[in-house]
Amino acid sequence: MSKNIYLFATSKSKHARSIKSLDVRYLKPEIDFSKYDYLIVTSKQTVKALEQYNKEEFINIAALCVSDKTADSYRAIGGKILASGDGYGDNLIKNIRELPHVTKWLYLRAELIASSFVQIAKEEGYEIDEKILYISECSKEILEVRVEDDSTLIFTSPSSIECFLKNNTIHPNAKVIVIGTTTAAYLPKDIKYVISQNTSIESCIELAIEAK
């Protein structure tokens, strides 16, 4: 393990010092799943939150997933997959547009979201309901971490950057790797960064190892 690589994520890697960026608090709002044709699932946390419900109520409703990894998580609990995206929430709009406007979608989401695809879809006349299944808060770990100036920092979400910057600054000598363009937009304007080739932690780690 390289002590100079820091991974700010909800997942871990043996190649980095893994700093949990968020603590997740799950909610269980009342949902009548029978009203919907498809689910929209954009995180593994959504899948975990779904496990609070009677599986028979939703498991036969196919999900539009943000990425292959998220699709794998939904599939692992027995769910069906409508389609999986490229890791960018905003790009899911093209999948929604492939189906009639009368299709009834249920977007299962976090309290705070970075993507605007649902708002765009609604403005275009698509029927999408939303339910908040979890709330993410900055973890004590990321608020208290201190990193070396020349470290490689891997950010995997906008919230990982926002939480890190609450009590830290990004040193000019640091190497910064982000998982995608949405996350990159949350970096301070003067920070240089590299975007991973694929929207996956594995791809970010590969870049970090190459940069050593």
Side-chain angles (χ1 to χ4, degrees):
M1 182 185 80
S2 173
K3 67 178 181 179
N4 291 324
I5 299 176
Y6 291 82
L7 170 65
F8 301 100
T10 54
S11 302
K12 295 183 178 182
S13 169
K14 65 180 181 180
H15 300 291
R17 180 179 172 188
S18 300
I19 306 297
K20 182 175 68 169
S21 53
L22 296 171
D23 287 326
V24 178
R25 177 159 53 92
Y26 293 101
L27 308 176
K28 191 182 178 182
E30 185 174 339
I31 301 174
D32 181 358
F33 290 98
S34 66
K35 294 166 55 179
Y36 302 103
D37 299 307
Y38 299 106
L39 306 178
I40 300 173
V41 177
T42 56
S43 71
K44 294 179 182 178
Q45 287 74 31
T46 293
V47 176
K48 187 170 182 179
L50 273 172
E51 294 186 80
Q52 301 175 104
Y53 295 87
N54 182 346
K55 188 180 290 188
E56 293 180 357
E57 294 179 6
F58 68 84
I59 205 63
N60 290 316
I61 306 175
L64 170 59
C65 297
V66 71
S67 67
D68 290 338
K69 291 286 188 181
T70 302
D72 288 342
S73 295
Y74 190 57
R75 194 180 286 112
I77 66 170
K80 300 177 180 179
I81 306 302
L82 171 66
S84 58
D86 57 7
Y88 293 101
D90 285 341
N91 290 342
L92 292 179
I93 186 68
K94 64 183 181 182
N95 299 95
I96 293 172
R97 287 170 176 156
E98 291 175 355
L99 294 172
H101 282 75
V102 294
T103 302
K104 292 180 173 57
W105 301 85
L106 175 61
Y107 179 28
L108 303 167
R109 44 164 281 205
E111 180 185 36
L112 300 176
I113 53 176
S115 298
S116 58
F117 72 95
V118 169
Q119 179 183 344
I120 294 170
K122 286 181 175 180
E123 290 172 354
E124 294 180 6
Y126 292 93
E127 296 188 30
I128 304 178
D129 287 344
E130 302 177 60
K131 290 288 185 178
I132 297 173
L133 290 194
Y134 63 96
I135 296 172
S136 298
E137 300 164 331
C138 297
S139 71
K140 181 180 179 181
E141 191 173 1
I142 197 171
L143 293 175
E144 295 183 350
V145 70
R146 297 296 177 264
V147 303
E148 296 87 352
D149 292 345
D150 60 349
S151 300
T152 298
L153 310 178
I154 301 174
F155 296 106
T156 59
S157 67
S159 55
S160 67
I161 294 174
E162 291 180 327
C163 290
F164 178 79
L165 291 176
K166 283 182 181 293
N167 290 331
N168 287 278
T169 57
I170 299 176
H171 194 273
N173 292 337
K175 298 180 179 70
V176 178
I177 297 170
V178 294
I179 202 166
T181 55
T182 301
T183 299
Y186 283 74
L187 286 167
K189 299 302 182 184
D190 59 336
I191 297 299
K192 296 181 180 179
Y193 60 88
V194 179
I195 297 178
S196 61
Q197 183 174 359
N198 300 310
T199 53
S200 69
I201 288 176
E202 293 82 359
S203 182
C204 291
I205 291 292
E206 288 175 7
L207 269 178
I209 293 172
E210 290 173 2
K212 284 292 295 172

